[in-house]
């Protein structure tokens, strides 16, 4: 493994020297930047064995990274909550993330963008050790992956069909949803249930009290009589796009209230939308088969927020998605 250094040359050259295939992305793996094919997580890594790891994920807009400091701050809260030491400061995590992105940008088409993700597990279980003993420190990965623009493009033309599965979101008293952990089984089981109903639908789970919470990678908002509502922060991940939507609502003079949202609120809403790093903001056209508003992909306030989002990031991300429908 060869580490990348800004002084000694590009990752492409160094990783290439250690066997990077043409067109292969690089990733940061435990102190070095290496070709992705050399990121070999041991099978006794606790992230793999138990989901004993946390992660975060931002994206680029027109190849520029979005709110990296905010994502890394959330990441360090997740790490603190589960008591994993990543072995580097937030500043170093930001710098390494930017390094990995820089090294991978030449591989990206002009109209494509990346997810940029950080993952830290508690490390590799010590063979013969007791439950908490690891063979070394935590395992750290920083990676880039192209955004799934084509498969999601139709969501902006049609709107999302939300399905509420029977399975409930893990309650905060069991494991706080505010930490972005590798334990996605609860969300995956819920999504499988929604997909069994309709492969195109997106699951939004109720919490154990019967109020809307979140989906596998998204937060939800409803709009009624000009006011935006979203679930209380204790029951959901503090989405960076959720925060961004709240900031943008203030800019366009739409009040936002965090409250318990039940199925009555959801099905009688004038507009509903989801937020996520990849989606930014995407309108919902139905909830549990009930048409939202006039059934159009997004209502007027949702559209105004989408425009404000594009203005904020200085990039027409919705156009970027919609263009994929023509391919
Ligand atoms: N909720 C969950 C469970 C998620 O995994 C995500 C995605 O990261 C979100 C919400 C949305 O968060 P963000 O807007 O930061 O992508």
């Amino acid at each position: 493994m060869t580490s990348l250094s800004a002084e000694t040359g590009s990752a492409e050259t160094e990783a290439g020297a250690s066997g990077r295939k043409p067109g292969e992305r690089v990733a940061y793996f435990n102190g070095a930047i290496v070709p992705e094919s050399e990121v070999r997580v041991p099978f006794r890594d606790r992230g793999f064995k138990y989901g004993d790891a946390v992660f975060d994920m931002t994206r680029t807009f027109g190849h520029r990274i979005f709110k990296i400091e905010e994502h890394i701050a959330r990441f360090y809260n997740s790490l603190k909550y589960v008591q994993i030491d990543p072995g580097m400061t937030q500043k170093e995590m930001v710098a390494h993330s930017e390094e990995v992105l820089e090294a991978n940008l030449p591989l990206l088409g002009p109209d494509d963008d990346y997810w940029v993700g950080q993952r830290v597990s508690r490390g590799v279980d010590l063979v013969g050790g007791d439950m908490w003993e690891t063979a070394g420190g935590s395992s750290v990965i920083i990676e880039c992956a192209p955004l799934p623009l084509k498969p999601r493009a139709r969501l902006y033309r049609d709107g999302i069909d939300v399905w509420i599965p029977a399975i409930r979101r893990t309650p905060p008293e069991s494991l706080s949803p505010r930490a972005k952990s590798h334990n996605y089984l609860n969300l995956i089981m819920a999504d499988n249930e929604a997909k069994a109903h309709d492969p195109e639908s997106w699951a939004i789970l109720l919490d154990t009290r019967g109020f809307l919470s979140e989906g596998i990678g998204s937060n939800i908002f409803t709009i009624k009589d000009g006011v935006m509502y979203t679930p209380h922060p204790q029951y959901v991940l503090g989405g960076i796009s959720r925060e961004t939507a709240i900031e943008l609502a203030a800019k366009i003079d739409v009040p936002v209230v965090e409250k318990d949202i039940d199925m009555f609120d959801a099905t009688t809403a004038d507009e509903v939308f989801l937020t996520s790093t990849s989606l930014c903001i995407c309108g919902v056209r139905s909830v549990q088969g009930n048409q939202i508003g006039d059934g159009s992909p997004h209502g007027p306030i949702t559209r105004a927020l989408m425009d404000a989002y594009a203005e904020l990031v200085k990039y027409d991300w919705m156009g970027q998605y919609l263009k994929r429908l023509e391919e």
Side-chain angles (χ1 to χ4, degrees):
M1 295 197 302
T2 324
S3 66
L4 176 138
S5 113
E7 297 89 55
T8 54
S10 72
E12 199 159 5
T13 316
E14 293 210 358
S18 69
R20 181 180 183 184
K21 296 183 204 84
E24 185 179 9
R25 286 181 302 276
V26 294
Y28 177 96
F29 182 47
N30 292 343
I33 291 190
V34 297
E36 283 191 357
S37 55
E38 287 181 23
V39 179
R40 297 191 185 113
V41 178
F43 71 91
R44 290 200 176 92
D45 190 282
R46 295 179 62 92
F48 181 69
K49 282 179 84 174
Y50 309 120
D52 187 2
V54 293
F55 75 109
D56 219 288
M57 199 69 98
T58 182
R59 63 163 287 171
T60 59
F61 287 104
H63 300 193
R64 293 179 311 272
I65 202 159
F66 180 61
K67 292 197 173 178
I68 181 69
E69 279 87 6
E70 289 86 336
H71 277 275
I72 298 302
R74 180 175 74 180
F75 187 40
Y76 275 65
N77 279 333
S78 299
L79 286 161
K80 182 125 195 263
Y81 175 68
V82 299
Q83 295 178 35
I84 294 177
D85 177 5
M88 68 173 84
T89 63
Q90 289 195 39
K91 237 175 134 182
E92 287 165 338
M93 190 65 78
V94 169
H96 286 311
S97 300
E98 284 168 345
E99 250 178 317
V100 171
L101 172 62
E102 245 355 89
N104 286 318
L105 276 181
L107 300 177
L108 202 55
D111 292 333
D112 285 325
D113 271 303
Y114 277 135
W115 263 315
V116 183
Q118 304 79 19
R119 302 175 182 278
V120 178
S121 85
R122 202 175 302 276
V124 182
D125 264 344
L126 181 68
V127 178
D130 205 354
M131 185 67 183
W132 289 102
E133 283 178 90
T134 55
S138 52
S139 308
V140 182
I141 294 173
I142 303 173
E143 44 123 359
C144 290
L147 287 169
L149 299 171
K150 195 169 165 62
R152 294 189 178 178
R154 65 150 207 96
L155 301 176
Y156 296 90
R157 182 195 59 200
D158 303 337
I160 293 176
D161 294 312
V162 162
W163 189 254
I164 316 279
I167 197 166
R168 300 291 175 96
R169 184 78 180 104
T170 308
E173 59 270 29
S174 299
L175 183 69
S176 175
R178 300 166 89 171
K180 196 165 163 68
S181 85
H182 269 215
N183 259 294
Y184 261 43
L185 213 40
N186 169 238
L187 294 158
I188 289 167
M189 300 280 284
D191 209 52
N192 284 349
E193 199 184 316
K195 296 278 191 287
H197 164 77
D198 169 7
E200 302 289 340
S201 69
W202 282 49
I204 292 290
L205 290 76
L206 299 179
D207 62 32
T208 50
R209 305 164 312 140
F211 300 110
L212 296 189
S213 66
E214 60 186 342
I216 194 163
S218 57
N219 293 110
I220 187 162
F221 286 81
T222 59
I223 301 173
K224 185 74 174 173
D225 298 330
V227 180
M228 254 162 74
Y229 300 97
T230 197
H232 287 296
Q234 286 81 4
Y235 296 93
V236 295
L237 181 75
I240 304 297
S241 334
R242 174 187 183 273
E243 276 310 308
T244 306
I246 292 172
E247 283 158 27
L248 295 174
K251 276 200 187 154
I252 61 166
D253 290 328
V254 174
V256 182
V257 179
E258 291 176 326
K259 73 158 196 159
D260 291 332
I261 301 171
D262 65 13
M263 283 301 284
F264 181 88
D265 299 320
T267 52
T268 59
D270 299 328
E271 301 177 41
V272 177
F273 65 87
L274 304 187
T275 60
S276 88
T277 287
S278 55
L279 292 177
C280 305
I281 292 177
C282 190
V284 167
R285 74 171 168 189
S286 74
V287 174
Q288 213 71 347
N290 299 283
Q291 180 179 297
I292 301 299
D294 61 3
S296 59
H298 38 253
I301 294 180
T302 306
R303 180 67 216 215
L305 288 167
M306 292 165 106
D307 290 342
Y309 212 120
E311 202 175 303
L312 174 76
V313 300
K314 299 193 174 33
Y315 193 75
D316 177 16
W317 46 269
M318 189 161 135
Q320 183 186 36
Y321 270 109
L322 287 171
K323 203 150 85 178
R324 295 318 201 275
L325 290 172
E326 295 153 22
E327 288 172 2

